[in-house]
Amino acid sequence: MKITHMLLTSTLLLGLTNVAYANHHMGETGGNHCEHADMNKDGTISREEFMMKHQKRAEKMFTRMDTNKDGKIDANERKAAHEAMEHHPTAPPEKK
């Protein structure tokens, strides 16, 4: 009986975690951000649509990481970006 109770509780908690994670990634509009990538609204996302959707984000990330603006991300810049992510409030907790 204890094992059944533990399994049921674990399953419920895992399900709630997934719901919370999905809700966190829905964005401010409350919809799935991938739906916005379907530019022609045909119900599918082509490679081109996907790449166009994520190109702007990738460019912003590169610009933010390339702190000396030389068009390259060196080891020090990667390390600084990694450390900044560790201090970000949505970053997962460090493993001990």
Side-chain angles (χ1 to χ4, degrees):
M1 187 62 115
K2 274 188 168 182
I3 292 176
T4 303
H5 187 260
M6 286 174 41
L7 286 173
L8 181 60
T9 302
S10 297
T11 303
L12 179 62
L13 289 174
L14 181 60
L16 290 174
T17 302
N18 287 337
V19 168
Y21 179 80
N23 189 41
H24 171 74
H25 291 282
M26 286 175 60
E28 295 176 10
T29 61
N32 185 340
H33 66 86
C34 286
E35 291 173 2
H36 300 294
D38 184 11
M39 303 294 196
N40 62 5
K41 307 296 182 210
D42 67 352
T44 62
I45 300 170
S46 68
R47 177 179 173 77
E48 291 80 19
E49 289 171 323
F50 182 88
M51 298 305 282
M52 285 174 47
K53 172 69 178 169
H54 296 285
Q55 182 69 30
K56 192 174 205 177
R57 183 176 182 192
E59 288 174 2
K60 284 182 182 180
M61 183 183 290
F62 187 91
T63 299
R64 190 171 44 241
M65 290 177 69
D66 183 19
T67 56
N68 65 4
K69 308 299 180 209
D70 67 351
K72 301 174 187 172
I73 301 172
D74 63 29
N76 290 331
E77 290 167 322
R78 287 192 308 270
K79 183 179 177 187
H82 180 73
E83 289 172 355
M85 285 175 40
E86 287 179 351
H87 294 97
H88 191 275
T90 60
E94 291 183 24
K95 294 180 182 177
K96 293 182 180 182

